[in-house]
């Protein structure tokens, strides 16, 4: 893999929340690479640090309280973690763009779609308003918005949710970035629209050779678009593999749990598997496997030693006691393992 | 929008009509009567007094007087002052102009101070700038304007001799009344701007705008402030109402010959035509201000415009 193919690389990234009652590492030494034309999905439940990872990359962390305290963020091989803010600003929206979860609230309600796209252009390029407007109409046509010239005059509230997300994507792509971060881009949309938006992202990615960092908790979305998947748990990556490999052969008990908790048309309709317990409190992490309290396979070592991320055939895993995947069985109510319940 | 405007205009006319009746009766039920600008004195005989009232129609029942007055108004006849006989049209021209100069200066001062400070306080939240601005705002809201007027006169006119203590209509004479008139509105507008800014700084679109690579000042001024100004604009309608009320006090203290000064003076002298007309005018002004604020709100907020 040549260096130039890697559009985005994150090395040993640590993000810390500086709170009054102590500092908390919410992203704990994460590393990943996204190649041109590739989609890396960052998967995990709420609060695992996936959005903070994305905001650390594009340097839009709410500061205070959050700050990147360690590691490197390489955009096309160049470290952007320490570039001055004005340089970072010129990269945002140009070399690296971001699409957010909620397309209505991510657009300024008092400006037209046209104004909001053209200002993204004029912030980075010396073009006339008219040229910017033409570019804006073109990009709207490209993301399949009907009668784009008319839509330029619309306000965000006049468009449907799916159209708004198309506008957000258009705005993110108008300057032809190398990297697109999509933070739960379909979560706020209904299912049929979700599929259209994912198709659109996929199509634009192929056309532009975009590197996409897709952040989601939805494994169905992941299976549709991701080339590789990194599963995050409590601020760490616990497993990373090509998507097909991960879905066929999940090795981490957490990944297995996530896959077992997807409702399937064929499976047992009565009880859905739920991973017992909850995400550990990041303020008091033990020197052990962070998943051990919720893990059905935890052995002694898991309680005493923090496992490292180990690669075998391009499949990264952070686990002392991996077991072959058999869909985990739903626990009947009242049959919760007392040791798990006690550890909560 | 058209039916909304028609309804608002209808309400406005109704309120004007009701207030005209109230004002008409209230003025005449106050003890005493017009002195005819020196024609009458406390020693004038009963006959002279009755002849005077008969000539002015003041011996008629109040409702008859009211309809006669309405008839005159409808013909564009505003009447004349009972004190000095000057036509109300002329009084209107000079006093309304003075009041407008004072009021607009006060508004201008307050927005020029309040909006930048409110934005700064919000952006530099919890720093000494914020605390200083908010401390100032509490003073501005807490100090009664007549007292502020006296303090300013004491320092700037009596102690320092920098500014004239009263009078009209040179710029130095305008400074103190305009400041006093602006004080409370500035404080309220500043607090409103700050809290509205803080609210919108938390909006999702702010992060999305930064993700587009917009310069920070453009995010703050063009986007956040524009959103934050919506309640500040609708506050303007209310503020114009207060301004009218405070103008009575401030114009009287500084002997600034505006509508408020004239109104207070005419009420004290029982100059019925002048008092009637100018109180109605002030009510009309407050109504129009609220009406304009509604329209301005619609212009600033596209979501209202379409609805």
């Amino acid at each position: 893999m040549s260096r130039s193919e890697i559009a985005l690389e994150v090395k040993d990234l640590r993000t810390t929340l500086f709170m009054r009652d102590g500092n908390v590492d919410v992203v704990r030494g994460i590393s990943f690479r996204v190649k041109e034309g590739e989609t890396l999905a960052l998967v995990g439940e709420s609060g695992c640090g996936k959005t903070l990872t994305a905001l650390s990359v594009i340097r839009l962390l709410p500061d205070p309280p959050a700050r990147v305290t360690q590691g490197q963020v390489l955009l096309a091989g160049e470290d952007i973690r320490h570039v001055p803010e004005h340089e970072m600003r010129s990269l945002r929206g140009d070399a690296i763009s971001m699409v957010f979860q909620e397309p209505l609230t991510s657009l300024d309600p008092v400006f037209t779609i046209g104004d909001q796209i053209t200002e993204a252009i004029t912030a980075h390029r010396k073009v006339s308003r008219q040229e910017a407007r033409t570019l804006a109409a073109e990009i709207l046509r490209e993301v399949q918005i009907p009668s784009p010239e008319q839509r330029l005059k619309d306000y965000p509230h006049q468009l449907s949710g799916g159209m708004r997300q198309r506008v957000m994507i258009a705005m993110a792509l108008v300057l032809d970035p190398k990297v697109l971060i999509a933070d739960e881009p379909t979560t706020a949309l209904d299912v049929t629209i979700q599929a259209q938006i994912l198709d659109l992202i996929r199509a634009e990615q192929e056309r532009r050779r975009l590197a996409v960092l897709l952040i989601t908790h939805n494994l169905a979305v992941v299976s549709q678009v991701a080339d590789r998947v990194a599963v995050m748990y409590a601020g760490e990556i616990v497993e990373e593999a090509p998507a097909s490999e991960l879905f066929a052969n999940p090795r981490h008990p957490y990944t297995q749990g996530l896959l077992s908790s997807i409702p399937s048309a064929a499976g047992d309709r009565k009880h859905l598997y739920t991973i017992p317990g909850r995400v550990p409190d990041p303020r008091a992490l033990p020197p052990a496997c962070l998943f051990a309290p919720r893990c059905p396979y935890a052995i002694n070592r898991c309680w005493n030693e923090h496992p490292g991320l180990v690669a075998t055939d391009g499949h990264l895993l952070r686990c002392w006691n991996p077991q072959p995947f058999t869909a985990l069985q739903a626990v009947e109510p009242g049959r919760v393992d007392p040791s798990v319940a006690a550890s909560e | 929008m058209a039916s909304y405007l028609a309804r608002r205009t209808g309400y406005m006319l109704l309120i004007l009509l009701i207030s005209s009746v109230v004002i008409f009766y209230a003025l005449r039920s106050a003890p005493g009567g017009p002195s005819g600008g020196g024609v009458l004195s406390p020693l004038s005989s009963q006959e002279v007094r009755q002849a005077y009232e008969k000539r002015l129609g003041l011996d008629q029942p109040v409702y008859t007087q009211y309809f006669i007055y309405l008839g005159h108004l409808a013909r564009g006849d505003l009447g004349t002052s009972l004190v000095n006989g000057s036509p109300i049209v002329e009084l209107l021209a000079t006093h309304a102009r003075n009041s407008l100069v004072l009021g607009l200066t006060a508004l201008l001062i307050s927005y020029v101070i309040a909006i930048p400070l409110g934005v700064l306080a919000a952006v530099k939240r919890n720093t000494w700038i914020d605390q200083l601005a908010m401390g100032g705002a509490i003073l501005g809201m807490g100090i009664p304007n007549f007292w502020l007027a006296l303090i300013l006169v004491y320092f700037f006119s009596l102690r320092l001799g920098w500014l004239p203590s009263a009078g009209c209509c040179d710029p130095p004479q305008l400074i103190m009344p305009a400041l006093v008139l602006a004080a409370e509105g500035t404080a309220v507008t500043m607090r409103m701007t700050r809290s509205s800014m803080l609210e919108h700084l938390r909006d999702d679109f702010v992060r999305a705008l930064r993700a587009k690579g917009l310069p920070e000042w453009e995010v703050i001024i063009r986007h956040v402030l524009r959103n934050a100004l919506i309640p500040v604009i609708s506050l303007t309608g209310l503020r114009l109402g207060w301004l009218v009320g405070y103008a009575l006090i401030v114009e009287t203290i500084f002997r600034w010959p505006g509508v408020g000064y004239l109104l207070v003076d005419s009420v004290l002298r029982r100059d019925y035509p002048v008092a009637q007309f100018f109180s109605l005018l002030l009510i009309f002004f407050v109504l129009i201000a609220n009406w304009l604020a509604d329209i301005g709100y619609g212009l600033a907020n596209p979501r209202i415009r379409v609805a």
Side-chain angles (χ1 to χ4, degrees):
Chain A
M1 183 160 38
S2 84
R3 239 28 240 105
S4 64
E5 272 187 341
I6 301 170
L8 176 68
E9 179 166 12
V10 167
K11 285 184 184 168
D12 199 22
L13 180 81
R14 183 173 297 269
T15 300
T16 308
L17 290 183
F18 291 84
M19 313 289 271
R20 208 166 293 171
D21 53 348
N23 302 342
V24 183
D25 290 341
V26 280
V27 176
R28 312 171 63 253
I30 278 197
S31 303
F32 58 79
R33 291 170 168 183
V34 196
K35 287 187 282 182
E36 285 176 17
E38 183 189 54
T39 299
L40 172 69
L42 212 51
V43 184
E45 57 200 309
S46 315
C48 72
K50 51 193 197 300
T51 295
L52 286 171
T53 303
L55 293 176
S56 304
V57 168
I58 199 167
R59 282 191 27 194
L60 286 176
L61 285 171
D63 177 14
R67 219 174 307 148
V68 175
T69 43
Q70 178 193 309
Q72 283 179 298
V73 177
L74 305 169
L75 188 64
E78 302 229 2
D79 192 351
I80 58 168
R81 196 193 136 195
H82 293 292
V83 301
E85 177 53 30
H86 68 92
E87 258 174 66
M88 191 60 216
R89 183 189 72 69
S90 69
L91 292 173
R92 276 187 219 118
D94 193 349
I96 180 166
S97 287
M98 188 156 175
V99 174
F100 297 88
Q101 175 171 351
E102 197 35 87
L104 177 60
T105 55
S106 295
L107 288 160
D108 185 338
V110 305
F111 284 89
T112 62
I113 303 302
D115 285 339
Q116 300 194 49
I117 302 179
T118 49
E119 77 181 354
I121 300 170
T122 51
H124 297 282
R125 303 274 189 279
K126 288 205 181 327
V127 292
S128 72
R129 264 190 68 79
Q130 199 44 55
E131 286 169 299
R133 202 111 185 137
T134 314
L135 276 174
E138 269 170 31
I139 192 80
L140 285 188
R141 187 170 299 115
E142 192 179 316
V143 299
Q144 293 147 42
I145 289 181
S147 45
E149 278 84 7
Q150 284 307 306
R151 296 290 83 75
L152 287 180
K153 293 175 202 146
D154 283 347
Y155 287 91
H157 69 272
Q158 292 168 294
L159 302 181
S160 69
M163 281 297 153
R164 284 180 207 133
Q165 196 59 295
R166 281 175 194 273
V167 167
M168 290 304 291
I169 292 169
M171 206 179 306
L173 296 180
V174 69
L175 294 173
D176 205 15
K178 290 273 163 272
V179 177
L180 176 70
I181 302 175
D183 185 4
E184 303 271 9
T186 59
T187 305
L189 306 172
D190 57 46
V191 181
T192 49
I193 307 294
Q194 280 189 11
Q196 293 174 11
I197 294 294
L198 292 175
D199 285 347
L200 174 67
I201 292 178
R202 188 91 228 189
E204 287 298 328
Q205 169 178 45
E206 278 167 19
R207 182 195 329 227
R208 296 164 184 271
R209 308 247 330 126
L210 264 175
V212 176
L213 178 61
L214 176 72
I215 296 187
T216 183
H217 66 277
N218 186 337
L219 287 166
V221 168
V222 172
S223 67
Q224 275 182 60
V225 296
D227 299 306
R228 280 188 311 120
V229 185
V231 180
M232 272 186 86
Y233 185 76
E236 291 179 331
I237 290 178
V238 292
E239 183 167 15
E240 184 186 328
S244 51
E245 159 74 10
L246 188 106
F247 282 104
N249 184 21
R251 291 195 205 156
H252 198 282
Y254 178 63
T255 316
Q256 294 179 355
L258 285 180
L259 287 170
S260 304
S261 53
I262 300 175
S264 88
D268 171 15
R269 301 275 183 110
K270 268 183 21 208
H271 297 291
L272 202 55
Y273 180 74
T274 50
I275 302 171
R278 64 172 87 97
V279 186
D281 183 349
R283 280 170 297 189
L285 293 176
C289 171
L290 301 177
F291 189 63
R294 305 172 72 184
C295 182
Y297 310 128
I299 53 175
N300 250 347
R301 190 177 192 188
C302 305
W303 292 96
N304 298 316
E305 223 177 309
H306 187 71
L309 197 60
V310 179
T312 23
D313 307 331
H315 193 139
L316 301 173
L317 182 65
R318 191 188 288 279
C319 183
W320 291 128
N321 186 27
Q323 300 289 324
F325 181 47
T326 48
L328 291 158
Q329 290 304 303
V331 178
E332 299 272 351
R335 265 189 50 211
V336 178
D337 186 343
S339 67
V340 171
S343 69
E344 273 185 50
Chain B
M1 189 75 187
S3 76
Y4 171 74
L5 279 184
R7 206 166 59 233
R8 289 291 316 228
T9 314
Y11 280 137
M12 223 164 77
L13 291 175
L14 186 69
I15 293 174
L16 267 183
L17 196 70
I18 295 172
S19 23
S20 70
V21 174
V22 172
I23 289 166
F24 211 84
Y25 272 80
L27 272 174
R28 279 159 181 77
S29 58
S35 66
V39 174
L40 299 179
S41 77
L43 301 177
S44 299
S45 71
Q46 198 62 24
E47 289 79 38
V48 174
R49 198 171 283 279
Q50 275 169 357
Y52 177 75
E53 288 185 353
K54 194 172 168 58
R55 185 163 67 81
L56 294 177
L58 292 173
D59 55 339
Q60 310 255 1
V62 177
Y63 62 86
T64 317
Q65 294 181 37
Y66 178 72
F67 285 112
I68 292 172
Y69 180 65
L70 279 194
H72 285 178
L73 272 189
R75 273 179 275 128
D77 177 6
L78 303 183
T80 53
S81 163
L82 300 183
V83 173
N84 53 23
S86 37
I88 288 177
V89 182
E90 279 175 22
L91 292 176
L92 178 64
T94 56
H95 289 75
R97 195 189 62 98
N98 290 341
S99 278
L100 277 180
V101 168
L102 178 61
L104 289 179
T105 311
L107 270 186
L108 190 73
I109 290 175
S110 74
Y111 284 123
V112 164
I113 295 174
I115 291 177
L117 275 182
V119 170
L120 203 65
V123 173
K124 305 273 175 203
R125 186 186 185 184
N126 293 337
T127 62
W128 63 270
I129 299 178
D130 182 21
Q131 279 155 6
L132 198 70
M134 287 308 106
I138 287 171
L139 283 182
M141 287 191 296
I143 297 177
N145 50 24
F146 59 86
W147 191 73
L148 178 63
L150 298 180
I151 294 293
L152 288 184
V153 168
Y154 177 73
F155 279 104
F156 292 103
S157 307
L158 301 183
R159 278 300 188 82
L160 299 169
W162 289 353
L163 293 168
S165 65
C168 181
C169 299
D170 301 322
Q173 288 165 320
L174 178 61
I175 293 172
M176 281 198 295
L179 279 178
V180 172
L181 202 53
E184 184 171 340
T186 308
V188 174
T189 306
M190 184 155 60
R191 286 185 66 98
M192 173 76 95
T193 307
R194 176 181 180 270
S195 66
S196 184
M197 284 291 292
L198 285 177
E199 194 185 316
H200 288 288
L201 278 168
R202 277 198 299 268
D203 281 347
D204 287 349
F205 70 75
V206 175
R207 195 163 69 189
L209 289 168
R210 289 183 181 138
K212 285 200 288 190
L214 293 196
E216 189 62 14
W217 67 266
E218 210 174 317
V219 174
I220 301 290
I221 302 301
R222 187 168 138 92
H223 289 275
V224 181
L225 179 59
R226 170 79 186 269
N227 277 276
L229 277 184
I230 292 173
V232 176
I233 289 171
S234 64
L235 183 72
T236 306
L238 274 177
R239 286 201 48 201
L240 288 174
W242 304 338
L243 217 55
V244 167
Y246 293 155
L248 302 187
I249 300 168
V250 172
E251 289 182 357
T252 305
I253 292 177
F254 288 100
R255 311 212 71 72
W256 180 268
V259 170
Y261 177 61
L262 183 64
L263 181 60
V264 171
D265 189 59
S266 61
V267 169
L268 292 179
R269 290 172 190 247
R270 303 290 184 269
D271 191 348
Y272 295 152
V274 175
Q276 257 152 235
F277 177 75
F278 283 97
S279 14
L280 270 181
L281 183 74
L282 291 185
I283 290 167
F284 181 68
F285 179 78
V286 172
L287 290 172
I288 285 282
N290 283 311
W291 187 79
L292 285 176
D294 278 351
I295 294 180
Y297 192 72
L299 290 180
N301 189 348
R303 282 161 298 183
I304 304 275
R305 216 181 304 162
V306 212

